[in-house]
Amino acid sequence: MMKNSIKILLRPLNYMKISHENKFIIDIIIPLFISMMTCFILYEMSFSHIIGDGKIIDKISSLLGILIGFFIASLAAVSTFDRPEMDHYMKGTPPTLNKKPLTSRQFLCYLFGYLSFITIITILTSDLINVFSGALIIITKNNSLLAFVIFMPYFFVVTNILMTLFLGLSFLTDDIHKRENTIINKVLK
């Protein structure tokens, strides 16, 4: 019973199991590069600029607090769109989950479900970091390498959220309409 409950709670993480030729670059490579660059810049500035009231992590938490509403609303909208095109397989090489191709609706539901889930966890993590900011500043004050190791995963997740958001926005604003235009053009001919 407990095991099934945990599986249900973690279902939004199925997005991470989706396979596609470009997914590793969007989910891992770009966020890793950007988060490493961010940490190197902060390393040069001193990591004490990132934690505490009104500092970087506090501002990221505020931004994520706004985005979570967008992610949940997008999930609700995508799952209830009354457009037949949403239930077609995606153009080109469709992403797959467990070796089964995904429709546009399935992909976007997984994407926004993942974003909702991971953003809630990241907001809670941001708040915990700010609660323990005094101790973290003391621990990392003379050890920038330790600060890098502590904050790198946080910035990686935040960057992953942003890259995944950009993927979803790109699909919703452009790709979905290209399919509709193709259908309209076929009807008009």
Side-chain angles (χ1 to χ4, degrees):
M1 176 80 167
M2 178 76 157
K3 188 176 180 181
N4 286 337
S5 298
I6 291 172
K7 279 184 179 180
I8 290 169
L9 289 174
L10 297 178
R11 198 171 287 159
L13 295 179
N14 279 339
Y15 170 79
M16 295 169 59
K17 296 178 185 177
I18 293 175
S19 300
H20 190 269
E21 58 196 26
N22 297 324
K23 192 163 180 301
F24 185 74
I25 294 169
I26 292 169
D27 284 351
I28 305 294
I29 300 298
I30 294 173
L32 186 61
F33 176 75
I34 292 172
S35 58
M36 285 179 67
M37 295 307 297
T38 302
C39 282
F40 282 126
I41 290 168
L42 293 171
Y43 175 81
E44 293 299 320
M45 290 174 38
S46 168
F47 279 95
S48 64
H49 294 290
I50 66 171
I51 49 180
D53 288 339
K55 305 241 174 127
I56 294 173
I57 289 183
D58 191 42
K59 293 194 183 287
I60 288 172
S61 182
S62 296
L63 173 65
L64 293 177
I66 295 166
L67 288 176
I68 187 67
F70 168 76
F71 297 149
I72 293 171
S74 296
L75 177 59
V78 165
S79 64
T80 60
F81 274 158
D82 189 24
R83 294 177 64 187
E85 306 87 53
M86 291 295 293
D87 296 316
H88 295 164
Y89 293 119
M90 296 173 68
K91 294 184 301 185
T93 306
T96 60
L97 179 62
N98 299 325
K99 298 183 181 180
K100 295 177 186 170
L102 296 175
T103 65
S104 299
R105 185 183 313 275
Q106 290 171 318
F107 175 73
L108 288 170
C109 284
Y110 280 119
L111 185 140
F112 286 112
Y114 166 76
L115 284 171
S116 299
F117 181 88
I118 202 75
T119 299
I120 291 169
I121 300 299
T122 306
I123 290 170
L124 294 173
T125 302
S126 299
D127 292 345
L128 280 174
I129 289 171
N130 283 329
V131 165
F132 296 107
S133 63
L136 285 171
I137 289 171
I138 292 169
I139 291 170
T140 60
K141 188 170 189 162
N142 295 324
N143 192 343
S144 294
L145 182 60
L146 179 62
F148 188 88
V149 169
I150 291 172
F151 294 115
M152 175 68 185
Y154 175 83
F155 285 111
F156 174 80
V157 170
V158 169
T159 308
N160 175 270
I161 290 169
L162 293 175
M163 292 306 302
T164 307
L165 167 63
F166 295 150
L167 175 65
L169 288 175
S170 170
F171 187 80
L172 284 176
T173 57
D174 189 44
D175 292 347
I176 223 166
H177 299 292
K178 284 181 182 174
R179 174 177 293 134
E180 181 180 285
N181 289 340
T182 305
I183 292 168
I184 290 170
N185 289 337
K186 286 180 181 177
V187 170
L188 292 175
K189 288 183 179 180

